[in-house]
Every structure is written in structure tokens, then in C-alpha cells.
Amino acid sequence: MLKISTRGQYALLIMTELAEQDPEKYVPLKLLSHRHNLSVKYLEQILVQLSKSGLVSGLRGNNGGYRLSRRPEEYTVGEILRALEGDLTPFSKTESNSLSSVGNDAFWKDFGDLINHYVDSVTLEEVAQKNRDFTGFDYCI
């Protein structure tokens, strides 16, 4: 069953915040942690996964932190969620095999395709813009 974990949700949230920042500056981990009331250790685990996937780059030291590796419009929500969640189909392979005996295979395939098409059609910039429209302000550091 498709369920986006809190880690996946926070990954999208942090990526959205990084999309709002100066692309040349690194945002300190402690600041992100404080702003979202998350432990530094938990947030670091998420950012390490995002970094391993090439979605963010990190820098250690006084002026260190994290920033996006590309421009916000070059990311899709799908690639961000997959970096933390893996495959986004609405059921696992074992569930798929048991569903075959139940039927409605075409429906479940179409449903999975629809989910993947949607998350792959929304860019990080679009999510950031919707947040700006909703809150009415930018929150650059």
C-alpha cells in the first residue's frame, strides 16, 4: 500500500525550504532543525539520503550546511519522494502477486501509473510557489 512516511514528507518540506534560499549559500543543519522542530540527528539522516541521491550538496565547517544541487524547477516531487521512499507504486510486488488472484490488475496498474505521473509532473518550484501563495511571504535566511 502506498504510504508516504514522515521522512518522505520532511524531505519534501526541507527541499522546499532549500528552494527558497539563495542558491549560492549553504543553509546550516541546526537552523533547519530549529525551524522545523526536528532533531539534528533525524534531519541529518534525511539530508544524507538526499545527498547520496545527488539532490542536495553539503559542506562541513563554519559556513557549512546544505543547498540544492540544481535549480528548483529541475526537480520533481517524484524524484524527491523516491530518494526516501523507493518505489511509489500503490502495492509491493508480493501484494501485486496476491492481487492477481483477486483481479482488477488493469485498474491497479492504471492507479499506480496515475500516482507516478502526478508526482513526476509537479516540480519543486511549483510546490515552493504554492507555499508562497498560501503563506503570503518568502522565508529566505
Side-chain angles (χ1 to χ4, degrees):
M1 174 108 174
L2 176 69
K3 183 177 179 183
I4 305 299
S5 70
T6 11
R7 289 169 62 98
Q9 293 173 42
Y10 281 127
L12 183 57
L13 176 68
I14 296 305
M15 291 290 289
T16 304
E17 180 165 351
L18 292 176
E20 295 292 323
Q21 307 308 316
D22 179 341
E24 300 300 315
K25 294 184 179 174
Y26 288 88
V27 180
L29 178 64
K30 286 184 180 181
L31 183 61
L32 293 169
S33 168
H34 176 73
R35 182 169 279 169
H36 297 288
N37 199 26
L38 297 170
S39 77
V40 170
K41 186 174 182 173
Y42 180 66
L43 187 54
E44 189 171 36
Q45 291 171 355
I46 293 170
L47 284 160
V48 163
Q49 277 189 270
L50 292 171
S51 182
K52 283 181 180 178
S53 298
L55 302 178
V56 299
S57 58
L59 181 68
R60 294 185 183 269
N62 274 350
N63 295 321
Y66 290 88
R67 68 180 184 191
L68 297 181
S69 299
R70 306 186 308 255
R71 295 186 329 232
E73 59 272 16
E74 296 174 355
Y75 293 89
T76 66
V77 170
E79 76 176 309
I80 295 165
L81 292 177
R82 284 185 198 95
L84 275 286
E85 305 292 337
D87 188 19
L88 296 178
T89 56
F91 43 80
S92 69
K93 297 286 184 200
T94 55
E95 289 172 323
S96 175
N97 291 340
S98 65
L99 283 174
S100 290
S101 63
V102 175
N104 295 331
D105 292 351
F107 169 80
W108 292 114
K109 182 192 175 308
D110 291 348
F111 183 60
D113 291 346
L114 185 66
I115 290 168
N116 282 291
H117 174 74
Y118 177 70
V119 297
D120 289 334
S121 72
V122 179
T123 67
L124 181 59
E125 175 57 31
E126 291 170 326
V127 174
Q129 183 59 52
K130 286 182 183 183
N131 285 347
R132 288 190 293 270
D133 293 345
F134 183 74
T135 60
F137 67 91
D138 294 334
Y139 59 104
C140 286
I141 296 169

